[in-house]
Amino acid sequence: LGYLHPRGRTLLYTPQLVQPNMPEKVVGEIKIQSQADLDMWRTDNMVARFEDGMIKGDGIAFDPKMEIDIELDTTKIAGLEIMLRSVEGSKDASKAKSLHSPFDVFFATEDEPQYSESKKLAKMTCDRNGASVMLGSTVPTWKGKVTKIRIDPTNSVGSFELEYIKILAWDKKK
């Protein structure tokens, strides 16, 4: 014990677990209500279909991705809430019970039109149903106008179900 806590030393700082401040105001959505909504997405290394009111798909090669054009003002938009269930190596995402679905969300801006690891939304929370809040406002490159969103629903071959994407803002009344 003397090595871990030498005599005469005191603990000056005790970290406290704090609930993160999360955006609560839904100001829009990326529609997923029809085949026409699915047709707005560009896909790579995957097969996607509109079924049961959501986009369902299967990654058919390494790094499947789907991309959509969008206009988001980062001074007003905090991030996205996404309901996406995915299972790597499986063909049935409806059986996914993981609260930490292995997906990533990237963004591109007018000033920086290329995707990169520095432009990946931060996954902040995940609820029991699988909805994840992805914040851009905590990422230093979340500046200007976002022009594209890219979702990597799985990291490899696997299936996924994308139910909704809500656009979130900070509630200024609080």
Side-chain angles (χ1 to χ4, degrees):
L1 185 62
Y3 289 97
L4 298 175
H5 189 69
R7 185 181 309 252
R9 285 190 130 177
T10 58
L11 185 61
L12 299 176
Y13 172 73
T14 305
Q16 301 291 319
L17 295 177
V18 186
Q19 180 67 26
N21 187 16
M22 303 303 291
E24 298 175 355
K25 187 175 181 183
V26 176
V27 294
E29 68 178 305
I30 299 174
K31 293 193 182 299
I32 303 173
Q33 299 172 342
S34 67
Q35 180 64 42
D37 295 331
L38 170 59
D39 293 342
M40 301 292 290
W41 292 85
R42 293 175 297 281
T43 62
D44 189 28
N45 295 330
M46 62 184 282
V47 176
R49 63 197 176 280
F50 181 78
E51 182 181 312
D52 300 327
M54 63 184 83
I55 295 174
K56 294 185 178 185
D58 299 300
I60 56 173
F62 178 73
D63 197 22
K65 55 183 97 12
M66 52 194 300
E67 175 186 71
I68 191 166
D69 294 328
I70 193 166
E71 288 188 21
L72 298 176
D73 179 349
T74 60
T75 63
K76 298 176 182 172
I77 303 302
L80 305 172
E81 179 180 322
I82 300 174
M83 174 67 88
L84 187 146
R85 291 175 291 280
S86 62
V87 180
E88 291 184 358
S90 171
K91 292 291 183 189
D92 192 357
S94 65
K95 295 182 180 172
K97 300 295 183 200
S98 170
L99 297 182
H100 306 287
S101 295
F103 72 92
D104 292 313
V105 179
F106 297 88
F107 62 93
T109 64
E110 271 185 333
D111 295 335
E112 295 183 38
Q114 302 301 317
Y115 296 111
S116 69
E117 284 293 316
S118 69
K119 292 189 290 184
K120 180 165 66 171
L121 297 183
K123 187 181 282 190
M124 299 303 288
T125 64
C126 196
D127 72 15
R128 287 186 295 206
N129 298 316
S132 296
V133 173
M134 313 294 284
L135 284 185
S137 58
T138 61
V139 178
T141 54
W142 184 257
K143 296 177 183 171
K145 185 167 106 179
V146 171
T147 56
K148 294 185 286 189
I149 297 287
R150 185 184 96 197
I151 299 176
D152 295 3
T154 65
N155 292 322
S156 62
V157 174
S159 64
F160 71 92
E161 296 175 346
L162 177 58
E163 192 171 328
Y164 66 76
I165 302 173
K166 296 177 182 176
I167 301 169
L168 304 175
W170 298 107
D171 189 352
K172 301 290 184 190
K173 295 178 185 173
K174 290 187 174 184

